[in-house]
Amino acid sequence: MNFLPVTDESLKKGAEIIKKGGLVAFPTETVYGLGADAFNPQALARVFEVKGRPHFDPLIIHIAAVRALEETADLSILDSKNRKKLFMLADNLWPGPLSIVLPKNKKIPGIATAGLETAAIRFPSHETAQKLISLSGTAIAAPSANPFGSLSPTKAEHVRDGLGGKIDLILDSGPSQIGLESTVLDLTCENIKILRSGGTPREDIEKLIGAVSVEKESEDEHGLSSPGQLKKHYSPKTPLFVFNREEIINQPAEASCATRERIALLFFDGSTREAWRKTQKPLKIAVIKVLSETGDIKEAASNLFEILHEIDNSNISKIIAQLAPQSGLGEAVNDRLIRGSVK
Ligand code: AMP
Ligand code: MG
């Protein structure tokens, strides 16, 4: 396995590997992706194998130009109202953290879409992702570059720790700016639905195409319209418990002493941490972290997975985390925290 900074040369090398059916981890603005040629079933099979990803969980297909939609989707099947909405979304929100589920082009092998007749397609804004796709001369199917179910990788080092040795190349370009996966939007039905909340807030979509519904969580693979919506997902190794602002302020630190647990408290903002401090006498908490000192939701989202990775590597026995305000990107942050938590 090679671990290389992004340069013209390493990008060319990456593209050659993709063309030959190999696997390349690369940065995107959401999280690091594990890329393979979207038209090569053997390469796609390796993606599932390396991640330990169940075959019922379809991959997102990445393109580097809106016109590449024609090769990956079959827009002739899409109803005309939704086709208009597709282009409204593509004109305004692409490139960016939005994956759109469309009828799939026949050339996309079934293994990419878990046998579904639809494919989730995304045009990422990260320059490296765009260059890698263009140089490869194909579309790149890429799930997050982590073992299935675990924390998503927002740095090249996270990919190395999780999958190193199993893949051909990791392209390193520092931390992901958004740090949360893309929003997945299903345009194949009359009732347009967010299947997974993510880096594009619901409000941004609704401004363009009107109200959309949000898929409720599902327990298992049966009847899932978005299999990544498994109830338990994005999990740190350390048990995670989530609370709202009022609840976390009153979390006693003493419990950690009695049981000799090493607890990490993860606050959404600095003001909640300060309110919590006032309720505590001696502080026994092992680790105190804050997603954003000022309560900036974008900063909080981009720090989420990185801080959870850090806590996971610090011999902590329990994480107590505060939920974000439930609006804008807060919906996606809370989705990840709740799915990663112990029920
Ligand atoms: P990941 O790339 O690991 O962030 O996961 C991609 C997620 O996108 C999947 O787990 C699904 O939830 C969703 N997805 C991908 N393709 C489709 C599709 N054709 N229909 C519905 N959801 C999809
Ligand atoms: Mg994933």
Side-chain angles (χ1 to χ4, degrees), residues 55-321:
H55 283 268
F56 61 73
D57 196 356
L59 307 177
I60 292 173
I61 293 166
H62 295 73
I63 56 177
V66 176
R67 65 177 180 283
L69 267 175
E70 298 291 341
E71 287 128 50
T72 47
D74 184 351
L75 301 186
S76 68
I77 308 177
L78 203 61
D79 106 4
S80 64
K81 267 195 233 146
N82 283 10
R83 199 175 321 157
K84 264 192 209 134
K85 290 182 177 173
L86 165 64
F87 287 103
M88 280 285 277
L89 294 165
D91 286 347
N92 291 281
L93 298 175
W94 273 1
L98 175 67
S99 300
I100 305 180
V101 175
L102 296 166
K104 88 173 180 73
N105 188 303
K106 280 205 273 305
K107 286 187 292 182
I108 298 284
I111 185 171
T113 63
L116 299 170
E117 286 308 309
T118 57
I121 299 177
R122 180 164 104 81
F123 178 0
S125 65
H126 199 292
E127 204 188 339
T128 301
Q130 293 182 359
K131 282 186 179 161
L132 181 68
I133 299 164
S134 302
L135 285 170
S136 306
T138 184
I140 294 187
S144 49
N146 57 329
F148 180 73
S150 68
L151 291 173
S152 295
T154 56
K155 283 174 153 184
E157 290 80 4
H158 298 156
V159 181
R160 189 185 50 202
D161 296 348
L163 300 178
K166 294 185 179 168
I167 61 183
D168 304 306
L169 173 65
I170 299 174
L171 290 172
D172 176 14
S173 99
S176 308
Q177 302 99 308
I178 295 175
L180 277 183
E181 295 79 358
S182 59
T183 300
V184 179
L185 182 74
D186 187 355
L187 268 192
T188 60
C189 304
E190 215 177 310
N191 170 23
I192 295 176
K193 226 191 239 173
I194 291 183
L195 302 179
R196 172 178 75 183
S197 55
T200 299
R202 177 160 53 95
E203 293 85 337
D204 292 7
I205 294 169
E206 292 187 330
K207 260 184 240 157
L208 295 166
I209 61 166
V212 298
S213 53
V214 181
E215 172 99 327
K216 291 204 198 74
E217 26 178 65
S218 307
E219 195 78 66
D220 57 26
E221 73 267 38
H222 305 296
L224 282 183
S225 43
S226 189
Q229 291 299 79
L230 289 176
K231 227 173 186 175
K232 188 135 181 68
H233 206 77
Y234 312 110
S235 300
K237 286 177 243 128
T238 319
L240 166 71
F241 300 85
V242 292
F243 297 96
N244 63 31
R245 186 174 194 277
E246 285 62 44
E247 289 167 338
I248 203 167
I249 287 172
N250 293 307
Q251 280 299 308
E254 276 83 59
S256 62
C257 268
T259 58
R260 293 185 183 281
E261 279 182 316
R262 278 171 54 83
I263 296 184
L265 269 162
L266 175 56
F267 291 98
F268 172 68
D269 58 358
S271 89
T272 310
R273 179 199 54 221
E274 291 315 305
W276 171 82
R277 264 192 215 286
K278 288 196 189 123
T279 70
Q280 306 297 311
K281 279 161 250 150
L283 291 183
K284 300 276 164 41
I285 295 289
V287 171
I288 297 173
K289 297 270 181 197
V290 178
L291 287 182
S292 162
E293 203 48 49
T294 57
D296 177 80
I297 188 64
K298 275 197 179 152
E299 186 187 22
S302 70
N303 283 334
L304 177 69
F305 283 123
E306 178 162 4
I307 291 182
L308 287 174
H309 273 287
E310 232 177 83
I311 295 175
D312 245 358
N313 292 326
S314 350
N315 191 25
I316 297 287
S317 44
K318 181 174 172 180
I319 308 170
I320 292 177

